[in-house]
């Protein structure tokens, strides 16, 4: 059977493609409302037009990303049933509740986003308008919480029993609060805020590299880097907890990520390297680090991959994904710390051109880390779609037209990706901040007269 | 009333809302394109954009609500419909994605006014109901077989079936009719006489094909699924009520008065017909494989979903009210006196 006839494989590729595309927009969609809110609030508090304009211009760009996020989110929502009907039939009995609640959160966000966008300057009191943004930010955050709960269930299913192939004793609430939930939800939220902050910092850096000397960009840069720093540190802390969660509940994922074959205490952490059979080559070995990551002490025992039957092991290449995610995360935390401290102490090199280049890189880097992290978590639970209960190939559709759909959706995402970039650059290029600020000044003078 | 009935009633209600708001959206795109084609675009674009911009995302959520809800309440439907609908639903998704993102790109972003895009947007509004409506035909049975326990769709039978094509034609005609009636009312509120006249004409034009195809489908069903046809006749009084409201709408449009009442009557016409059809379909989700009873989720999940639903509505209804008050019933906004776009 060629891969082109293998519907389970094709369904995996199509799901991977849709989700990988969607999470770029979804991450920004969860994080940016908070940043808009902070900028808007600072503008009102400091009575500084620059921050108000920052909120306004971010909001304009945000709508474009939300639109693509909404349509790709609708796609993945329906694809779950189209590509994985057997899985949805089984899991629907247990995990429908958070899925349903996600739609309400999404509803809530959609309603207030529409209102926020179309009531700028409509209320005499600016604070009223700011209030409208709270349900947007809360709705966006809550929908990410609920959907992550669904994903956590797939990693650590609970809240039901299997009796003669039938699901019995179902408890929707128990299924919702699986052990994977706390670390997963916290990690998704903190990385979303972190990534959004760095993406917006990148934009400010880009404008400065293009030669704009305006105060506005410096304010934007400093604000976003500060927020980025806070959430980068939070991400690192939560990441450590996530490692401990894996060691306890999904040891095969952690073992595959770290090429840890034999169960042992005082386990070393392997950085980089390539695998030759069971021997990592060219790798950096950090003694005890894996034990500390897994259990908090150098003496903690870490379960090795050899404890698992061969057909239940995740692929070993997830090590590279894990490394990518962790390295980028560490770098961003370190870099933003240097930047923020440097900016406070007015160190010269903060203004240097190479520094702007580094800031410019941080947004895309954070997005790459998001992709790597999700691929790691998803590929890391292979071969299961519902860990311990259903494999991926058992969950896939029996339809033989998945290949054709894969081609169609690839085309769609190419169009949407190009469209986003073209529209966003056009939008900001035609209306640079200098022009908009000048216009506002004129309006104000006209009002005074 | 059993939990199953509550579940399906809730979903049917949301599907009804989606049909109304999506029809307005799809039809608006088509009328905008048609008026561009006949060089009358300047008449309609403003009215249409002023309504659609703040609400298009909300429209989309009604659709998501329906398919998430049906999988939640009736997980087995994911197995039957998910497997068979891969192709039509994927096509609908792609159209929906292109349409939604294009709308955002064009109106919030680059202000593209290229005619090619406007035509494509308008056309996609007609293709979408066409892509979604086969589901209704499939639910009548006769197009799906089980092979080794896997359901598969007989495309040849489906595409040669007069029933499916009547449903497609009805969907398109109804979309244009609902949209035109609503926009007539909205344009009239905006005090835009020319747009009102044009839209009123569209509404009157599309009224006839809507009612003819709707009647035709009842006739088609007689040959296709006689049991369902007989149950439909049991609810003749609901269809009669629906027809009366239809006459009321057309009468008011004809006389150029009370456009608001005309739209309410139209909503009532579709509400009664939609529910009469739904009730007569009972107890089948997919004739004859799937009833609402054998596909229903377990009791604890059903209760949890209904509680979540009530709590969700508690948030949703006041928010929707606020949205409508700010954009639909606010005179200054409707008339476009000031632009508050971010």
């Amino acid at each position: 059977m060629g891969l082109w006839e293998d519907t389970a494989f094709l369904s995996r590729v199509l799901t991977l493609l849709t989700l990988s595309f969607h999470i770029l927009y979804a991450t920004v969609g969860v994080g940016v409302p908070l940043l808009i809110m902070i900028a808007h609030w600072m503008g009102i508090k400091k009575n500084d037009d620059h921050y108000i304009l920052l909120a306004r211009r971010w909001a304009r760009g945000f709508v474009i990303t939300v639109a693509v996020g909404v349509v790709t989110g609708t796609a993945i929502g329906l694809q779950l049933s189209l590509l994985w009907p057997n899985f949805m039939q089984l899991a629907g009995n247990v995990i429908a509740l958070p899925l349903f609640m996600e739609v309400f959160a999404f509803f809530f966000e959609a309603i207030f986003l529409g209102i926020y966008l179309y009531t700028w300057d409509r209320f005499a009191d600016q604070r009223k308008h700011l209030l409208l943004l709270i349900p947007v930010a809360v709705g966006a955050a809550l929908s990410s919480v609920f959907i992550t709960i669904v994903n956590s269930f797939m990693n650590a299913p609970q809240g039901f029993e299997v009796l003669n192939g039938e699901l019995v004793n179902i408890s929707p609430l128990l299924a919702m609060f699986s052990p994977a939930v706390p670390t997963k939800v916290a990690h998704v939220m903190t990385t979303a805020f972190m990534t959004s902050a760095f993406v917006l910092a990148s934009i400010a850096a880009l404008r400065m590299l293009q030669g704009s000397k305006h105060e506005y960009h410096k304010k934007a840069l400093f604000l976003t880097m500060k927020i980025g720093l806070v959430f980068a540190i939070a991400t690192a802390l939560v990441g450590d907890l996530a490692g401990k969660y894996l060691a306890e509940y999904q040891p095969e994922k952690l073992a595959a990520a770290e090429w840890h074959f034999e169960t042992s205490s005082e386990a070393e952490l392997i950085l980089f390297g390539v695998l030759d059979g069971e021997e990592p080559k060219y790798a950096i070995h950090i003694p005890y680090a894996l034990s500390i990551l897994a259990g908090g002490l150098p003496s903690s025992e870490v379960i090795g991959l050899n404890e698992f039957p061969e057909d239940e092991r995740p692929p070993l290449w997830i090590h590279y994904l894990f490394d990518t995610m962790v390295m980028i995360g560490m770098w961003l935390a370190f870099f933003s710390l240097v930047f923020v401290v440097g900016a406070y102490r007015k160190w010269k090199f903060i203004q240097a051109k190479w520094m702007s280049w580094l800031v410019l890189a941080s947004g895309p880097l954070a997005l790459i880390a998001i992709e790597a992290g999700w691929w790691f978590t998803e590929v890391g639970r292979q071969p299961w779609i519902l860990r311990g209960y259903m494999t991926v190939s058992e969950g896939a559709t029996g339809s033989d037209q998945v290949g054709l759909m894969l081609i169609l959706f690839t085309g769609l995402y190419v169009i949407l990706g190009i469209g986003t970039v073209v529209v966003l650059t056009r939008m900001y290029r035609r209306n640079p901040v200098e022009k908009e600020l000048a216009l506002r000044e004129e309006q104000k003078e006209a009002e005074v007269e | 009333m059993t939990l199953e009935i509550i579940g399906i009633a809730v979903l049917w209600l949301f599907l009804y809302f989606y049909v109304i708001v999506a029809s307005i959206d799809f039809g608006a795109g088509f009328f905008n394109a048609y008026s561009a084609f006949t060089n009358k675009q300047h008449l309609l674009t403003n009215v249409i954009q002023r309504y659609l911009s703040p609400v298009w995302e909300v429209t989309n959520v009604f659709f998501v609500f329906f398919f998430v809800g049906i999988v939640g309440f009736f997980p087995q439907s994911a197995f039957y419909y998910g497997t068979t609908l891969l192709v039509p639903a994927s096509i609908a998704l792609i159209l929906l994605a292109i349409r939604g993102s294009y709308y955002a790109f064009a109106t919030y972003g680059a202000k593209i006014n290229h005619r090619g895009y406007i035509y494509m947007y308008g056309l996609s509004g007609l293709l979408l109901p066409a892509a979604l409506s086969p589901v209704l035909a499939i639910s009548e049975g006769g197009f799906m077989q089980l092979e080794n326990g896997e359901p598969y769709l007989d495309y040849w039978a489906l595409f040669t079936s007069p029933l499916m094509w009547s449903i497609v034609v009805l969907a398109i005609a109804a979309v244009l009719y609902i949209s035109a009636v609503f926009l007539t009312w909205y344009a009239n509120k905006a005090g835009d006489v020319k747009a009102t006249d044009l839209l009123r004409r569209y509404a009157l034009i599309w009224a006839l094909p809507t009612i003819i195809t709707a009647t035709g489908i009842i006739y088609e069903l007689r040959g296709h699924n006689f049991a369902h046809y007989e149950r439909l006749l049991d609810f003749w009084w609901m269809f009669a009520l629906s027809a009366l409201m239809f006459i009321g709408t057309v009468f008011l449009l004809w006389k150029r008065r009370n456009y608001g009442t005309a739209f309410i009557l139209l909503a009532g016409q579709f509400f009664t017909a939609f529910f009469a059809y739904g009730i007569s379909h009972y107890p089948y989700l997919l004739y004859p494989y799937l009833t609402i009873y054998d596909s229903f989720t377990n009791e604890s999940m059903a209760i949890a979903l209904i509680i979540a639903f009530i709590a969700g509505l508690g948030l949703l209804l006041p928010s929707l009210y606020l949205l409508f008050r700010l954009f639909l019933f606010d005179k200054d906004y409707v008339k476009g006196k000031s632009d508050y776009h971010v």
Side-chain angles (χ1 to χ4, degrees):
Chain A
M1 186 165 69
L3 282 181
W4 199 244
E5 277 87 48
D6 183 351
T7 53
F9 172 76
L10 291 173
S11 300
R12 278 181 67 187
V13 176
L14 181 47
T15 309
L16 172 91
L17 187 71
T18 304
L19 273 174
S20 300
F21 191 72
H22 175 65
I23 52 172
L24 296 176
Y25 294 88
T27 305
V28 170
V30 170
V32 168
L34 182 81
L35 282 124
I36 297 176
M37 209 159 88
I38 294 174
H40 199 155
W41 177 68
M42 282 180 74
I44 293 172
K45 218 182 109 190
K46 291 188 171 179
N47 200 10
D48 185 337
D49 258 0
H50 287 159
Y51 287 104
I52 298 275
L53 194 61
L54 204 55
R56 189 170 189 165
R57 288 171 68 87
W58 281 346
R60 258 184 234 144
F62 178 63
V63 202
I64 304 297
T65 59
V66 165
V68 180
V70 168
V71 296
T72 53
T74 309
I76 190 62
L78 201 53
Q79 275 178 1
L80 273 181
S81 298
L82 296 175
L83 297 175
W84 311 99
N86 302 309
F87 162 70
M88 283 306 274
Q89 175 182 229
L90 180 76
N93 284 301
V94 194
I95 202 63
L97 181 63
L99 214 55
F100 199 60
M101 288 162 89
E102 197 239 340
V103 185
F104 274 112
F106 176 33
F107 237 132
F108 208 47
E109 180 197 345
I111 290 174
F112 282 93
L113 184 64
I115 298 179
Y116 180 78
L117 291 175
Y118 280 85
T119 52
W120 196 273
D121 288 337
R122 182 161 162 181
F123 305 110
D125 188 350
Q126 271 284 325
R127 280 174 301 183
K128 259 194 198 166
H129 187 234
L130 177 62
L131 279 182
L132 291 169
L133 203 54
I134 294 172
V136 179
V138 171
L142 274 184
S143 53
S144 80
V145 168
F146 290 129
I147 208 66
T148 311
I149 286 176
V150 176
N151 181 271
S152 305
F153 172 79
M154 295 160 83
N155 278 282
Q158 65 167 31
F160 63 96
E161 282 167 45
V162 182
L163 200 71
N164 304 331
E166 300 244 335
L167 301 186
V168 292
N169 284 340
I170 291 162
S171 160
L173 285 179
L174 203 61
M176 261 182 86
F177 297 104
S178 68
V181 165
T183 46
K184 248 190 210 271
V185 167
H187 202 59
V188 165
M189 306 278 280
T190 49
T191 50
F193 294 134
M194 177 188 93
T195 304
S196 307
F198 286 126
V199 166
L200 294 174
S202 287
I203 295 170
L206 179 67
R207 288 298 296 136
M208 289 168 81
L209 279 170
Q210 285 169 343
S212 173
K213 293 254 187 292
H214 205 283
E215 196 61 19
Y216 168 90
H217 299 301
K218 284 183 191 154
K219 284 179 185 167
L221 194 60
F222 191 41
L223 177 67
T224 48
M225 287 304 276
K226 267 194 293 189
I227 298 170
L229 170 64
V230 170
F231 286 109
I233 293 170
T235 299
L237 293 176
V238 175
D240 178 61
L241 292 176
K244 293 184 172 43
Y245 159 78
L246 282 185
E248 171 119 21
Y249 291 95
Q250 246 178 325
E252 76 276 20
K253 192 189 272 184
L254 187 66
E258 278 305 318
W259 293 339
H260 183 67
F261 295 95
E262 295 296 333
T263 302
S264 67
S265 57
E266 294 168 19
E268 53 182 23
L269 190 83
I270 296 171
L271 272 187
F272 313 115
V274 284
L275 202 61
D276 181 17
E278 282 203 3
E279 273 312 299
K281 272 193 193 167
Y282 318 112
I284 304 170
H285 300 256
I286 308 174
Y288 310 119
L290 184 58
S291 278
I292 295 174
L293 176 71
L297 293 170
S299 60
S300 304
E301 190 179 73
V302 184
I303 296 171
L305 211 49
N306 290 344
E307 309 283 327
F308 296 91
E310 223 157 293
D311 58 348
E312 288 181 18
R313 289 183 201 168
L316 291 170
W317 57 269
I318 60 172
H319 172 73
Y320 307 113
L321 297 172
F322 188 67
D323 273 0
T324 307
M325 169 183 81
V326 173
M327 283 300 123
I328 291 177
M330 303 285 251
W331 161 251
L332 288 175
F334 168 76
F335 172 67
S336 54
L337 180 71
V338 171
F339 188 97
V340 171
V341 171
Y344 263 117
R345 316 215 67 164
K346 302 214 167 17
W347 289 340
K348 268 259 159 64
F349 71 85
I350 296 297
Q351 310 288 344
K353 215 167 187 180
W354 58 267
M355 204 61 188
S356 292
W357 279 106
L358 285 180
V359 180
L360 179 64
S362 64
L365 274 178
L367 288 171
I368 291 171
I370 292 278
E371 295 285 2
W374 271 115
W375 289 0
F376 163 64
T377 206
E378 294 306 291
V379 180
R381 74 178 143 96
Q382 292 301 311
W384 303 109
I385 192 167
L386 199 56
R387 184 180 175 270
Y389 293 96
M390 187 185 246
T391 63
V392 167
S393 47
E394 288 165 346
T397 176
S399 172
D400 44 14
Q401 274 121 349
V402 185
L404 186 64
M405 297 304 115
L406 179 60
I407 296 172
L408 285 179
F409 276 99
T410 309
L412 171 70
Y413 300 142
V414 170
I415 293 172
L416 292 183
I418 295 174
T420 318
V421 174
V422 169
V423 169
L424 282 178
T425 44
R426 210 191 268 193
M427 196 159 128
Y428 289 111
R429 228 176 247 150
R430 277 191 190 167
N431 187 17
V433 69
E434 287 83 356
K435 195 170 138 195
E436 200 167 343
L437 275 170
L439 197 73
R440 258 183 94 82
E441 284 300 313
E442 265 173 42
Q443 281 171 346
K444 273 195 177 166
E445 273 165 31
E447 270 169 34
V448 172
E449 279 162 24
Chain B
M1 201 140 103
T2 60
L3 289 173
E4 286 89 342
I5 306 258
I6 296 178
I8 196 70
V10 163
L11 293 175
W12 203 241
L13 190 67
F14 267 78
L15 190 60
Y16 165 76
F17 279 124
Y18 181 66
V19 165
I20 298 291
V21 289
S23 294
I24 295 172
D25 184 307
F26 297 161
F30 178 78
F31 290 132
N32 196 26
Y34 182 71
S35 60
F37 186 70
T38 51
N39 286 322
K40 287 175 188 156
Q41 199 199 357
H42 52 281
L43 289 181
L44 294 188
T45 303
N46 282 334
V47 171
I48 288 173
Q49 275 193 5
R50 226 173 287 141
Y51 165 73
L52 284 186
S53 298
V55 301
W56 81 263
E57 208 188 326
V58 179
T59 302
N60 198 58
V61 191
F62 277 101
F63 179 55
V64 180
F65 190 100
F66 177 73
F67 71 68
V68 169
I70 196 154
V71 176
F73 278 103
F74 305 97
Q76 270 204 32
S77 62
F79 174 68
Y80 285 95
Y81 281 113
T83 310
T84 43
L85 289 180
L86 179 70
V87 176
S90 294
I91 291 171
L93 273 180
I94 288 170
L95 287 170
L96 214 57
I98 291 182
R99 214 182 129 74
S101 52
Y102 159 75
Y103 184 79
F105 289 172
T107 47
Y108 306 134
K111 314 258 187 250
I112 308 164
N113 268 320
H114 193 278
R115 287 203 162 202
Y117 292 117
I118 293 168
Y119 294 154
M120 260 172 59
Y121 185 68
L123 199 64
S124 70
L126 291 191
L127 291 176
L128 257 167
L132 290 172
S133 48
V135 184
L136 285 177
I138 292 169
S139 78
E140 294 296 340
F143 303 116
M144 191 192 283
Q145 271 94 41
L146 281 181
E147 222 172 60
N148 306 326
E150 286 279 345
Y152 90 104
L153 195 59
D154 184 348
Y155 283 97
W156 177 250
L158 184 65
F159 284 112
T160 51
S161 142
L163 176 69
M164 192 207 66
W165 291 110
S166 329
I167 293 178
V168 168
V169 175
L170 170 67
I172 294 174
V175 156
L176 296 173
Y177 175 56
I178 293 171
S179 185
V181 175
F182 174 82
L183 289 170
T184 307
W185 172 54
Y186 197 73
N188 186 52
K189 260 176 87 91
D192 192 336
V193 181
K194 281 182 181 160
T196 314
D197 276 353
L198 190 61
L199 287 160
R200 171 184 164 271
R201 232 182 57 215
Y202 291 153
L204 289 172
I205 289 172
W206 286 103
L208 197 63
T210 305
I211 204 75
I212 289 175
T213 43
T215 326
I217 283 169
I218 298 177
Y219 174 76
E220 293 289 341
L221 261 184
R222 197 191 146 99
H224 189 84
N225 183 341
F226 193 73
H228 189 187
Y229 168 76
E230 282 194 309
R231 284 188 58 87
L232 269 177
L233 292 190
D234 290 344
F235 296 97
W236 66 269
W237 55 274
M238 283 179 86
F239 290 104
L241 200 63
S242 179
L244 278 179
M245 287 194 266
F246 168 78
I247 293 167
T249 311
V250 174
F251 175 78
L252 288 175
L253 285 173
W254 187 259
K255 288 280 177 193
R256 295 176 198 272
R257 25 179 251 239
N258 304 63
Y259 292 128
T261 318
F263 180 70
I264 291 168
L265 284 176
L266 168 119
Q269 174 210 337
F270 277 88
F271 187 84
T272 40
F274 198 71
F275 269 78
Y277 171 81
I279 296 168
S280 67
H281 208 285
Y282 173 86
Y284 291 103
L285 282 179
L286 172 62
Y287 185 84
Y289 296 106
L290 209 58
T291 70
I292 65 172
Y293 295 102
D294 48 1
S295 65
F296 198 57
T297 187
N298 57 86
E299 198 182 327
S300 48
M301 179 54 81
I303 292 170
L305 287 177
I306 289 171
I307 292 172
F309 174 73
I310 292 169
L313 271 193
L315 278 177
L316 195 60
L317 292 178
S319 317
L320 277 174
Y321 171 74
L322 182 66
L323 183 77
F324 284 154
R325 224 193 68 177
L326 286 171
F327 300 110
L328 209 52
F329 302 119
D330 186 274
K331 283 220 171 68
D332 285 347
Y333 176 80
V334 177
K335 286 184 179 156
K337 275 192 183 151
S338 25
D339 176 23
Y340 294 115
H341 177 44
V342 78

